[in-house]
Amino acid sequence: MKLVITPRSAKSRKFPITLDLAGSPADVRVEDVQNAIAAKYPQLNVDRQRLTVEKTALEAGKTLSDYGLKDGDSVTFKDLGPQISWRTVFLIEYGGPLVIHPLVYYLPKLFYGESFEHSWMQTVTYWMVMVHFLKREYETVFVHRFSHGTMPFRNVFKNSAHYHLLSGLNLAYWVYGPWNAEGAKLAERSDALVYGCIALYIFAELSNYHTHVTLRNLRPPGTKIRKIPRGYGFQWVSCPNYFFETLSWLAVSVLTMSWSAHLFFIVAVGQMYIWAVKKHKGYRKEFSDYPRGRKAMFPLVA
């Protein structure tokens, strides 16, 4: 069959082109079309391609007949630009705080113009943040399986700003400053408060890791199989990983009593809730037997 590939942008010099594909529309898969385009223009690898029919995106695994396409019909092509793997994106995002926090913590004279002894609160907070993002890096390399292989490279800077600025420079500068140093009144914390925050943090981080392993085990390597997640945490909400991460940052926020930690907490939890609602709706739409008692992110609430 013949398929016409038209460009989304009128400025394109490569398109339109006509592909001669082997088989009928019921035989030709979307990835066959993408591979044919990549064979003609090697720089336009499959990950850079977005094919649509009347604003409906064509998905790999489906055939052209699934979209009502016939011999001689056309689809619209968009170049998504240079791509970067999601794994690399996560490593860059989480790597920011792992560089920024040690710099601010260990080089106070550079950032504050003076040297001082850190308080217990500052030290505990420092290790909470470092362990959290080291865990994130470990999970990115050894735990997470990604349903989408890549994203446009230009989005790296936008995605990283949340971590590098809010949980990186913002949190580090205002928490590790001399106003919170040893002997400062603002740094005074009771043992009960510090140990309580440490206990909540450890519980939340371990629980978050457990849910990530559960999600990993749902998808066999190299597949995009989707199943209903069950087990610890999932009996209450669709995204317990976000709920437990909320508890981790709550511990940091309460321990520091800093507006910078409160700001990051509000922004992070708000963003995770948006993601949780989207995933929750996706689960309910995809699985007819999805547990109706589950909430999106907060047990018994929402």
Side-chain angles (χ1 to χ4, degrees):
M1 69 166 287
K2 294 185 182 299
L3 186 70
V4 179
I5 310 297
T6 60
R8 181 173 178 179
S9 170
K11 298 179 181 179
S12 173
R13 296 181 179 180
K14 295 183 174 69
F15 299 92
I17 60 172
T18 299
L19 298 178
D20 194 357
L21 303 164
S24 68
D27 301 318
V28 179
R29 299 170 300 171
V30 172
E31 51 264 44
D32 295 330
V33 179
Q34 293 176 315
N35 289 332
I37 295 173
K40 187 172 182 63
Y41 300 115
Q43 71 272 30
L44 298 177
N45 59 68
V46 172
D47 291 325
R48 287 183 66 150
Q49 300 178 32
R50 178 179 171 84
L51 302 176
T52 58
V53 177
E54 297 180 353
K55 296 184 178 181
T56 299
L58 275 59
E59 298 178 7
K62 293 189 176 182
T63 65
L64 298 187
S65 62
D66 291 332
Y67 297 96
L69 292 168
K70 303 181 295 295
D71 186 28
D73 282 350
S74 65
V75 299
T76 302
F77 169 88
K78 180 183 179 182
D79 180 7
L80 299 177
Q83 301 288 297
I84 183 172
S85 74
W86 272 104
R87 194 180 304 279
T88 303
V89 171
F90 281 9
L91 291 174
I92 293 172
E93 289 177 353
Y94 305 149
L98 290 174
V99 172
I100 294 169
H101 278 261
L103 286 176
V104 179
Y105 185 85
Y106 288 111
L107 301 174
K109 198 162 187 177
L110 177 64
F111 290 90
Y112 307 106
E114 61 179 294
S115 298
F116 50 87
E117 183 181 353
H118 286 108
S119 65
W120 188 27
M121 178 275 287
Q122 289 176 316
T123 300
V124 171
T125 302
Y126 172 76
W127 285 109
M128 280 182 168
V129 173
M130 292 299 290
V131 169
H132 175 81
F133 285 108
L134 285 170
K135 168 181 161 292
R136 286 279 194 95
E137 296 281 39
Y138 172 84
E139 290 173 336
T140 297
V141 176
F142 298 107
V143 177
H144 294 320
R145 289 185 178 139
F146 300 93
S147 56
H148 300 287
T150 65
M151 64 169 273
F153 180 79
R154 62 181 179 272
N155 290 348
V156 171
F157 306 100
K158 178 185 68 176
N159 286 32
S160 296
H162 172 75
Y163 294 99
H164 293 195
L165 298 180
L166 275 182
S167 64
L169 190 59
N170 162 68
L171 189 61
Y173 182 83
W174 293 107
V175 171
Y176 305 144
W179 45 86
N180 283 324
E182 183 65 28
K185 190 168 182 63
L186 283 176
E188 293 179 359
R189 301 288 186 276
S190 68
D191 288 351
L193 177 65
V194 175
Y195 285 119
C197 288
I198 292 174
L200 176 60
Y201 171 85
I202 293 173
F203 163 76
E205 289 291 318
L206 292 176
S207 296
N208 175 266
Y209 177 77
H210 188 283
T211 58
H212 283 159
V213 172
T214 299
L215 291 171
R216 168 193 167 86
N217 292 337
L218 287 177
R219 179 179 295 145
T223 73
K224 293 185 178 181
I225 293 175
R226 290 172 59 83
K227 302 176 184 177
I228 298 176
R230 303 183 187 278
Y232 178 67
F234 291 98
Q235 69 269 38
W236 306 312
V237 293
S238 294
C239 299
N241 49 326
Y242 295 154
F243 172 67
F244 291 127
E245 182 159 347
T246 295
L247 296 183
S248 287
W249 288 114
L250 177 63
V252 173
S253 189
V254 171
L255 176 63
T256 62
M257 296 183 185
S258 168
W259 67 267
S260 62
H262 302 334
L263 173 62
F264 176 68
F265 177 77
I266 292 170
V267 173
V269 174
Q271 181 61 70
M272 287 190 290
Y273 181 68
I274 292 172
W275 291 335
V277 169
K278 183 178 179 180
K279 291 184 178 183
H280 183 66
K281 290 180 178 179
Y283 282 139
R284 297 189 67 173
K285 181 178 180 180
E286 183 175 1
F287 302 107
S288 59
D289 58 340
Y290 194 73
R292 298 221 172 256
R294 285 187 192 177
K295 299 298 182 181
M297 179 171 156
F298 299 104
L300 306 176
V301 179

CSV table of all heavy atoms in Angstrom, one decimal, residues 36-58:
chain,number,residue,atom,x,y,z
A,36,ALA,N,10.2,3.0,8.2
A,36,ALA,CA,10.4,3.4,6.8
A,36,ALA,C,10.8,4.9,6.7
A,36,ALA,O,11.7,5.2,5.9
A,36,ALA,CB,9.1,3.2,6.0
A,37,ILE,N,10.3,5.7,7.6
A,37,ILE,CA,10.7,7.2,7.6
A,37,ILE,C,12.2,7.3,8.0
A,37,ILE,O,13.0,8.0,7.5
A,37,ILE,CB,9.8,8.0,8.5
A,37,ILE,CG1,8.4,8.0,7.9
A,37,ILE,CG2,10.3,9.4,8.7
A,37,ILE,CD1,7.4,8.7,8.9
A,38,ALA,N,12.5,6.5,9.1
A,38,ALA,CA,13.9,6.5,9.6
A,38,ALA,C,14.9,6.0,8.6
A,38,ALA,O,16.0,6.4,8.6
A,38,ALA,CB,13.9,5.7,10.9
A,39,ALA,N,14.4,5.0,7.8
A,39,ALA,CA,15.3,4.4,6.8
A,39,ALA,C,15.6,5.5,5.7
A,39,ALA,O,16.7,5.5,5.2
A,39,ALA,CB,14.7,3.2,6.2
A,40,LYS,N,14.7,6.3,5.4
A,40,LYS,CA,14.8,7.4,4.4
A,40,LYS,C,15.6,8.5,4.9
A,40,LYS,O,16.5,9.1,4.2
A,40,LYS,CB,13.5,7.8,3.9
A,40,LYS,CG,13.6,8.8,2.7
A,40,LYS,CD,12.2,9.0,2.1
A,40,LYS,CE,12.3,9.9,0.9
A,40,LYS,NZ,13.1,9.3,-0.2
A,41,TYR,N,15.3,8.9,6.2
A,41,TYR,CA,16.0,10.0,6.9
A,41,TYR,C,16.6,9.5,8.2
A,41,TYR,O,15.9,9.6,9.2
A,41,TYR,CB,15.1,11.2,7.1
A,41,TYR,CG,14.5,11.8,5.8
A,41,TYR,CD1,13.1,11.7,5.6
A,41,TYR,CD2,15.3,12.4,4.9
A,41,TYR,CE1,12.6,12.2,4.4
A,41,TYR,CE2,14.7,12.9,3.7
A,41,TYR,CZ,13.4,12.8,3.5
A,41,TYR,OH,12.8,13.3,2.3
A,42,PRO,N,17.8,9.0,8.2
A,42,PRO,CA,18.3,8.3,9.5
A,42,PRO,C,18.4,9.3,10.7
A,42,PRO,O,18.3,8.8,11.8
A,42,PRO,CB,19.8,8.0,9.0
A,42,PRO,CG,19.7,7.8,7.5
A,42,PRO,CD,18.7,8.8,7.1
A,43,GLN,N,18.4,10.6,10.5
A,43,GLN,CA,18.5,11.5,11.6
A,43,GLN,C,17.1,11.6,12.3
A,43,GLN,O,17.0,12.0,13.4
A,43,GLN,CB,18.9,12.9,11.2
A,43,GLN,CG,17.9,13.7,10.3
A,43,GLN,CD,18.1,13.4,8.8
A,43,GLN,OE1,18.5,12.3,8.4
A,43,GLN,NE2,17.7,14.4,8.0
A,44,LEU,N,16.0,11.2,11.6
A,44,LEU,CA,14.7,11.2,12.2
A,44,LEU,C,14.4,9.8,12.7
A,44,LEU,O,13.5,9.1,12.2
A,44,LEU,CB,13.7,11.6,11.1
A,44,LEU,CG,13.8,13.0,10.5
A,44,LEU,CD1,12.7,13.2,9.4
A,44,LEU,CD2,13.7,14.0,11.6
A,45,ASN,N,15.1,9.4,13.8
A,45,ASN,CA,14.9,8.1,14.4
A,45,ASN,C,13.4,8.0,15.0
A,45,ASN,O,12.7,9.0,15.1
A,45,ASN,CB,15.9,7.8,15.5
A,45,ASN,CG,15.9,8.8,16.6
A,45,ASN,OD1,14.9,8.9,17.4
A,45,ASN,ND2,17.0,9.6,16.7
A,46,VAL,N,13.0,6.8,15.3
A,46,VAL,CA,11.7,6.6,15.7
A,46,VAL,C,11.2,7.5,16.9
A,46,VAL,O,10.1,7.9,16.9
A,46,VAL,CB,11.5,5.1,16.1
A,46,VAL,CG1,10.1,4.8,16.7
A,46,VAL,CG2,11.6,4.2,14.8
A,47,ASP,N,12.1,7.7,17.8
A,47,ASP,CA,11.8,8.5,19.0
A,47,ASP,C,11.5,9.9,18.7
A,47,ASP,O,10.9,10.6,19.5
A,47,ASP,CB,12.9,8.4,20.0
A,47,ASP,CG,13.1,7.0,20.6
A,47,ASP,OD1,12.0,6.4,20.8
A,47,ASP,OD2,14.2,6.6,20.9
A,48,ARG,N,12.0,10.4,17.6
A,48,ARG,CA,11.8,11.8,17.2
A,48,ARG,C,10.4,12.0,16.5
A,48,ARG,O,10.0,13.1,16.2
A,48,ARG,CB,12.9,12.3,16.3
A,48,ARG,CG,14.2,12.6,17.0
A,48,ARG,CD,15.2,13.1,16.0
A,48,ARG,NE,14.9,14.5,15.6
A,48,ARG,CZ,15.8,15.4,15.2
A,48,ARG,NH1,17.1,15.1,15.4
A,48,ARG,NH2,15.4,16.6,14.8
A,49,GLN,N,9.8,10.9,16.1
A,49,GLN,CA,8.6,11.0,15.2
A,49,GLN,C,7.3,11.0,16.0
A,49,GLN,O,7.1,10.3,16.9
A,49,GLN,CB,8.6,9.8,14.3
A,49,GLN,CG,9.8,9.7,13.4
A,49,GLN,CD,9.7,8.5,12.5
A,49,GLN,OE1,8.6,8.0,12.1
A,49,GLN,NE2,10.9,7.9,12.2
A,50,ARG,N,6.4,11.9,15.5
A,50,ARG,CA,5.0,11.9,16.0
A,50,ARG,C,4.1,11.9,14.8
A,50,ARG,O,4.1,12.8,14.0
A,50,ARG,CB,4.7,13.1,16.9
A,50,ARG,CG,3.2,13.2,17.4
A,50,ARG,CD,3.0,14.4,18.2
A,50,ARG,NE,1.6,14.6,18.6
A,50,ARG,CZ,1.0,14.0,19.5
A,50,ARG,NH1,1.6,13.1,20.3
A,50,ARG,NH2,-0.3,14.2,19.8
A,51,LEU,N,3.3,10.8,14.6
A,51,LEU,CA,2.4,10.7,13.5
A,51,LEU,C,1.0,10.8,14.0
A,51,LEU,O,0.6,10.2,15.0
A,51,LEU,CB,2.6,9.3,12.8
A,51,LEU,CG,4.0,9.0,12.3
A,51,LEU,CD1,4.1,7.6,11.8
A,51,LEU,CD2,4.5,10.0,11.3
A,52,THR,N,0.2,11.6,13.3
A,52,THR,CA,-1.2,11.8,13.7
A,52,THR,C,-2.1,11.7,12.5
A,52,THR,O,-1.7,12.0,11.3
A,52,THR,CB,-1.4,13.2,14.3
A,52,THR,OG1,-0.9,14.2,13.4
A,52,THR,CG2,-0.6,13.3,15.6
A,53,VAL,N,-3.4,11.4,12.8
A,53,VAL,CA,-4.5,11.4,11.8
A,53,VAL,C,-5.6,12.3,12.4
A,53,VAL,O,-6.2,11.8,13.4
A,53,VAL,CB,-5.0,10.0,11.4
A,53,VAL,CG1,-6.2,10.1,10.5
A,53,VAL,CG2,-3.9,9.2,10.8
A,54,GLU,N,-5.8,13.4,11.9
A,54,GLU,CA,-6.9,14.3,12.4
A,54,GLU,C,-6.7,14.5,13.9
A,54,GLU,O,-7.6,14.3,14.7
A,54,GLU,CB,-8.2,13.8,12.1
A,54,GLU,CG,-8.5,13.7,10.6
A,54,GLU,CD,-9.9,13.2,10.3
A,54,GLU,OE1,-10.6,12.7,11.3
A,54,GLU,OE2,-10.4,13.2,9.2
A,55,LYS,N,-5.4,14.8,14.3
A,55,LYS,CA,-5.1,15.2,15.7
A,55,LYS,C,-5.0,13.9,16.6
A,55,LYS,O,-4.7,14.1,17.8
A,55,LYS,CB,-6.0,16.2,16.3
A,55,LYS,CG,-5.9,17.6,15.6
A,55,LYS,CD,-6.8,18.6,16.3
A,55,LYS,CE,-6.6,20.0,15.6
A,55,LYS,NZ,-7.4,21.0,16.3
A,56,THR,N,-5.3,12.7,16.1
A,56,THR,CA,-5.2,11.5,16.9
A,56,THR,C,-3.8,10.9,16.7
A,56,THR,O,-3.4,10.6,15.5
A,56,THR,CB,-6.2,10.5,16.5
A,56,THR,OG1,-7.5,11.0,16.7
A,56,THR,CG2,-6.1,9.2,17.3
A,57,ALA,N,-3.0,10.7,17.7
A,57,ALA,CA,-1.7,10.2,17.6
A,57,ALA,C,-1.7,8.7,17.3
A,57,ALA,O,-2.5,8.0,17.9
A,57,ALA,CB,-0.9,10.5,18.9
A,58,LEU,N,-0.9,8.3,16.4
A,58,LEU,CA,-0.7,6.9,16.1
A,58,LEU,C,0.2,6.2,17.1
A,58,LEU,O,1.3,6.7,17.3
A,58,LEU,CB,-0.2,6.7,14.6
A,58,LEU,CG,-1.2,6.8,13.5
A,58,LEU,CD1,-1.9,8.1,13.5
A,58,LEU,CD2,-0.5,6.5,12.1
